[in-house]
Amino acid sequence: MNTCAVARPVVLADLLFPKASREDVQERLLARAERLEIIVGAKKDRWGREPVLAYDANGRLLQEIAVEQGLAYFWPRLLSNNLSSRMLNLEALARAKQLGVWRNTKIIHWRDKKLAGLAGEWVVLKGRVVSIGKTRSTIYLNFGGNWSEDLTATFKKSVMKEFEDAFGSLDALKGKNVEVRGVLQFKGGPWLQLAHPSELRVLPAVLKD
């Protein structure tokens, strides 16, 4: 990843903090930063802040510390696949220990009745990919046979190569049990728009449809 030094205002890239403590936790983390690196080509957020990687005095990435301690959710958008993989491994440890944000956050199946009340919220959902759909501009991961009722996760064809680099043939995802993360919307049925391969994770466990 190409990076360069940057001055504030900044935001820690690819982290999602709980709404109640978002600014407080992020500012505490940034106060520990000895080095900030802007991610070249990344757009500023709605408040004009530059997404950055931040490192403490020991050279440790603060994003990793935040995820490892359960201070924030990992929402991969900008980080490399290799770094995202490390972040997901740290997240798995925090989830297993129910640290921080994971004390009260449950990974639910997309058929869970609670889903209807989560519109507009960032979620992590699990389920089985039933089929793959493709149009000129979009790839569809279908979790059921009826788009008006069942979960669909989509991503643009412009990032298809990144997904193929991560998963191989997209058709091989059919029948796989996966986790997907993002902001839940409803377009008929529940829908997630993916932008980064690490927003999709293949699970080893067997799930019911």
Side-chain angles (χ1 to χ4, degrees), residues 15 63-70 72-74 87 90-91 94:
L15 293 185
Q63 273 95 334
E64 290 185 314
I65 293 173
V67 169
E68 183 178 45
Q69 296 179 0
Y73 301 104
F74 178 49
M87 296 281 280
L90 292 172
E91 179 191 272

Side-chain angles (χ1 to χ4, degrees), residues 49-103:
R49 299 178 299 183
E50 300 274 6
V52 297
L53 300 177
Y55 299 85
D56 68 11
N58 297 315
R60 181 85 191 278
L61 185 64
L62 289 173
Q63 273 95 334
E64 290 185 314
I65 293 173
V67 169
E68 183 178 45
Q69 296 179 0
L71 299 177
Y73 301 104
F74 178 49
W75 189 6
R77 312 293 278 180
L78 299 171
L79 303 188
S80 69
N81 287 343
N82 286 339
L83 183 50
S84 293
S85 179
R86 281 163 44 192
M87 296 281 280
L88 288 171
N89 288 337
L90 292 172
E91 179 191 272
L93 295 175
R95 283 166 57 171
K97 297 176 182 178
Q98 295 186 318
L99 298 179
V101 296
W102 297 107
R103 289 193 191 102

Side-chain angles (χ1 to χ4, degrees), residues 76-140:
R77 312 293 278 180
L78 299 171
L79 303 188
S80 69
N81 287 343
N82 286 339
L83 183 50
S84 293
S85 179
R86 281 163 44 192
M87 296 281 280
L88 288 171
N89 288 337
L90 292 172
E91 179 191 272
L93 295 175
R95 283 166 57 171
K97 297 176 182 178
Q98 295 186 318
L99 298 179
V101 296
W102 297 107
R103 289 193 191 102
N104 299 310
T105 302
K106 303 297 182 184
I107 310 304
I108 63 174
H109 195 281
W110 73 267
R111 290 191 185 276
D112 194 301
K113 294 180 180 179
K114 298 174 185 175
L115 207 61
L118 297 176
E121 298 291 329
W122 186 87
V123 297
V124 183
L125 304 178
K126 59 186 177 181
R128 186 171 69 89
V129 178
V130 172
S131 65
I132 310 293
K134 301 175 184 178
T135 66
R136 178 179 296 180
S137 61
T138 306
I139 306 298
Y140 297 81

Side-chain angles (χ1 to χ4, degrees), residues 162-193:
E162 286 86 345
F163 279 80
E164 288 178 332
D165 288 344
F167 300 105
S169 170
L170 297 179
D171 290 331
L173 290 172
K174 182 178 178 181
K176 298 290 187 182
N177 299 308
V178 302
E179 278 184 1
V180 285
R181 60 185 63 200
V183 176
L184 180 64
Q185 302 178 58
F186 283 83
K187 290 192 172 182
W191 173 63
L192 292 177
Q193 173 70 56

